[in-house]
Amino acid sequence: MPRALVFDAYGTLFDVHSVQTRCEALWPGKGAQLSRLWRAKQLEYTWQRSLMRRYAPFSQVTVDALLFSGEFLALKIEKKEKQALLDEYRRLALYPDVSETFKRLSGCKLAILTNGSPDMIEPLVAQSGLRFDAVLSVDALQVFKPAPEVYQLAVDTLQTPREEIGFVSSNCWDALGAKSFGFAVYWINRAQAPVDRMGFQPDRIVKSLDEILP
Amino acid sequence: MPRALVFDAYGTLFDVHSVQTRCEALWPGKGAQLSRLWRAKQLEYTWQRSLMRRYAPFSQVTVDALLFSGEFLALKIEKKEKQALLDEYRRLALYPDVSETFKRLSGCKLAILTNGSPDMIEPLVAQSGLRFDAVLSVDALQVFKPAPEVYQLAVDTLQTPREEIGFVSSNCWDALGAKSFGFAVYWINRAQAPVDRMGFQPDRIVKSLDEILP
C-alpha cells in the first residue's frame, strides 16, 4: 500500500446519481439530458476558467453551468428549482463500496482532493461519517484540476513524496492529471468507458473502490 | 472598424460540416453521434493537456479524440477511415458568407489565430483563396486557447494594441477567452445557442460573418 491515499470526491466517493433523479423529478423526460449537459458544462467551465485565469468557486461554476443548461434546453429554472438541485449536492450518498473499504484501510493517511469549494465539500464530508487527515480544495489555489499545482497541494499538506501517494478518481482525465503529476493512480472505471488517449495510462484500472485494497 | 481583425479558423471561416457528412457516409446512422463526441473530446483534450502542461499538436489531439470516440461508440476505425476523415479537415469549404465579406474588408490587417497545428492549417488556408497578413497557430506556444498568451501572440505579431484588434469566433468559449484578454469580440452565434456564463459577454453577437462589416 502507498503511505497516503488521496481521493477525488464527486463521482468517486459520493454518488451524484441523486442529482440526476432530482432533475428527472423536476422535468420528467428531460432529467438525463439536463444532468448530462450540466455536468459537461460544469467541467468545461472549470477548464476554460483555469486557462483564462478567471477562477470562480466550484459552487459558482455549478450554478452557471446549471443555468446555461436550463436555457439551452428551454427549461425554466427558478430560484426554487435551483436551490433544490444545489441542496442535493450537499447531501450526496456514498457509493455502497465506500464505508466498508474505509474500515479496512489502515496505516495510511487519507485525504480528499476536490474541485469542490469549501462551502460545498465541507457539509458533504461532515454528514458522510468518514474521517480524513485532510480535506483539500483547489479553492486554496484558484485553479482547477488537472493543473499540476493542485496535486502538489496534497504532497505539501500530507508531507509525503508524490511517488508514495496513491490517487483514486473515477474521472479518467483527473486520474491522468494525477498520473502526469507523478502519483500512483487508480482509475475507478465505474462506467466501463475507454481510457482517454493522452499517451499515458493510469497505473491500475478497477471497477469499484474495494479493489484498491491490498 | 478595428485596425486588425483576427479570425478563428474551424467553425468560423471553415465549415466543418463535411467532416460530419463523411462520418455519416462511413457509419450510417452514427455519423452525428460520432462527430459530436469527436468534437467534444477534441476540445476537452486541448484544455486538459494545456492544464497538465502536456501539449501535443492539434493534429495529434484530433486523431486521439477520433480513436477514443470510435472505441466509445464501438465503431471500427481502421487506418483507411482515419485517413479519409483527417483528409476532410485539410480541404474544408469556407462558409458561404466568407469570400464576399473578405472582399469588402479593406484598410485593416487580417489574421487567423487557431488551435490548428501548421500541418493542418497551412494546406487549408492555401486552398481557400483567402489572403492573410498572418496565420498564427498556438503550436508556437505549446498551449491551447483560451490561455491569454495565445491571444497575446496576435498582438505581438500584428504590432497592434489589443483594444484595436477585433476578434471573430463562432466558439463562444474562444470569444470569451479573447474578451477576457482584452480584444473587441464578435461571437458568430451560428447555432443560436445561449451565451456561456462566465460573468462577462462578447461585445457583439452576430448570426453570420457579413454582420461584422461596418
Side-chain angles (χ1 to χ4, degrees):
Chain A
M1 282 297 283
R3 280 180 56 197
L5 279 172
V6 177
F7 297 86
D8 172 54
Y10 303 112
T12 299
L13 300 177
F14 296 98
D15 187 350
V16 293
H17 185 76
S18 60
V19 178
Q20 297 159 24
T21 307
R22 180 62 76 113
C23 285
E24 182 61 27
L26 288 166
W27 296 282
K30 300 271 187 145
Q33 207 182 355
L34 174 63
S35 55
R36 221 171 17 238
L37 181 59
W38 183 12
R39 173 63 174 167
K41 274 285 157 185
Q42 183 192 45
L43 290 176
E44 272 186 27
Y45 285 178
T46 63
W47 300 322
Q48 292 165 1
R49 279 185 174 276
S50 294
L51 285 171
M52 289 181 197
R53 291 166 214 158
R54 296 269 174 196
Y55 177 83
F58 198 61
S59 48
Q60 172 74 49
V61 167
T62 299
V63 170
D64 290 342
L66 173 63
L67 296 180
F68 173 92
S69 304
E71 193 180 350
F72 188 90
L73 297 172
L75 304 175
K76 205 163 180 167
I77 303 186
E78 304 278 16
K79 205 170 173 180
K80 202 178 113 195
E81 290 86 6
K82 190 180 88 175
Q83 203 50 55
L85 288 167
L86 296 176
D87 286 347
E88 288 295 340
Y89 254 102
R90 287 175 174 79
R91 57 173 179 235
L92 301 172
L94 293 168
Y95 281 101
D97 52 1
V98 175
S99 293
E100 195 52 43
T101 302
F102 268 67
K103 276 185 211 149
R104 293 167 60 196
L105 284 170
S106 61
C108 72
K109 293 179 209 168
L110 301 175
I112 280 180
L113 179 61
T114 177
N115 271 344
S117 37
D119 57 333
M120 292 179 78
I121 193 68
E122 283 172 6
L124 187 59
V125 173
Q127 60 93 57
S128 75
L130 300 180
R131 291 284 169 277
F132 295 93
D133 297 286
V135 177
L136 306 172
S137 165
V138 305
D139 196 62
L141 300 167
Q142 309 268 299
V143 68
F144 290 103
K145 296 175 178 181
E149 51 268 46
V150 169
Y151 304 105
Q152 181 66 40
L153 184 62
V155 171
D156 295 342
T157 309
L158 298 173
Q159 298 276 304
T160 304
R162 67 182 79 187
E163 60 278 8
E164 294 181 39
I165 293 181
F167 184 83
V168 185
S169 181
S170 65
N171 294 295
C172 193
W173 58 270
D174 181 23
L176 292 177
K179 176 69 188 169
S180 169
F181 174 73
F183 286 153
V185 170
Y186 303 81
W187 175 37
I188 309 188
N189 186 7
R190 295 195 195 275
Q192 307 211 31
V195 187
D196 273 312
R197 292 183 183 239
M198 291 275 164
F200 50 97
Q201 300 252 339
D203 295 285
R204 282 187 57 199
I205 303 178
V206 298
K207 282 196 209 99
S208 60
L209 196 65
D210 53 358
E211 290 180 54
I212 71 169
L213 290 166
Chain B
M1 283 297 282
R3 282 179 55 197
L5 279 171
V6 176
F7 298 86
D8 172 53
Y10 303 112
T12 300
L13 299 177
F14 297 98
D15 187 349
V16 292
H17 185 76
S18 60
V19 178
Q20 297 159 25
T21 308
R22 179 62 77 112
C23 286
E24 182 61 25
L26 287 167
W27 296 282
K30 301 272 186 141
Q33 207 183 353
L34 174 63
S35 55
R36 224 174 11 243
L37 182 60
W38 183 12
R39 173 63 174 166
K41 274 284 157 186
Q42 183 191 45
L43 290 175
E44 273 186 27
Y45 285 179
T46 63
W47 299 322
Q48 292 164 1
R49 279 185 175 276
S50 294
L51 285 171
M52 289 182 200
R53 292 169 212 154
R54 296 270 175 193
Y55 177 83
F58 198 60
S59 47
Q60 172 75 49
V61 168
T62 299
V63 170
D64 291 340
L66 173 62
L67 295 180
F68 173 91
S69 304
E71 193 180 348
F72 188 89
L73 298 171
L75 303 174
K76 203 162 180 167
I77 303 185
E78 305 276 16
K79 205 168 174 184
K80 203 179 113 194
E81 289 86 7
K82 189 179 88 172
Q83 203 50 55
L85 288 166
L86 296 174
D87 286 348
E88 288 294 340
Y89 254 101
R90 287 174 173 80
R91 58 174 179 235
L92 300 172
L94 293 168
Y95 281 101
D97 52 1
V98 175
S99 293
E100 195 53 44
T101 303
F102 268 68
K103 276 184 209 147
R104 294 165 61 195
L105 284 171
S106 60
C108 71
K109 293 179 209 168
L110 301 175
I112 280 180
L113 178 61
T114 177
N115 271 344
S117 38
D119 57 331
M120 291 179 78
I121 193 67
E122 283 172 6
L124 186 60
V125 172
Q127 58 93 58
S128 75
L130 300 179
R131 292 284 169 276
F132 295 93
D133 296 287
V135 177
L136 305 172
S137 165
V138 304
D139 195 63
L141 301 167
Q142 310 269 299
V143 68
F144 290 101
K145 296 176 179 181
E149 52 267 46
V150 169
Y151 304 104
Q152 181 65 39
L153 184 62
V155 171
D156 294 342
T157 309
L158 299 172
Q159 298 276 301
T160 305
R162 67 181 79 186
E163 60 277 9
E164 295 182 39
I165 292 182
F167 184 83
V168 185
S169 181
S170 65
N171 294 296
C172 192
W173 58 270
D174 182 23
L176 291 177
K179 176 67 188 169
S180 168
F181 174 74
F183 286 152
V185 170
Y186 304 80
W187 176 37
I188 310 188
N189 186 8
R190 294 195 194 274
Q192 308 210 32
V195 187
D196 273 312
R197 292 183 183 238
M198 292 273 162
F200 50 96
Q201 301 253 339
D203 296 284
R204 281 187 57 199
I205 302 177
V206 299
K207 281 197 208 97
S208 60
L209 195 66
D210 53 357
E211 289 180 55
I212 71 169
L213 291 165

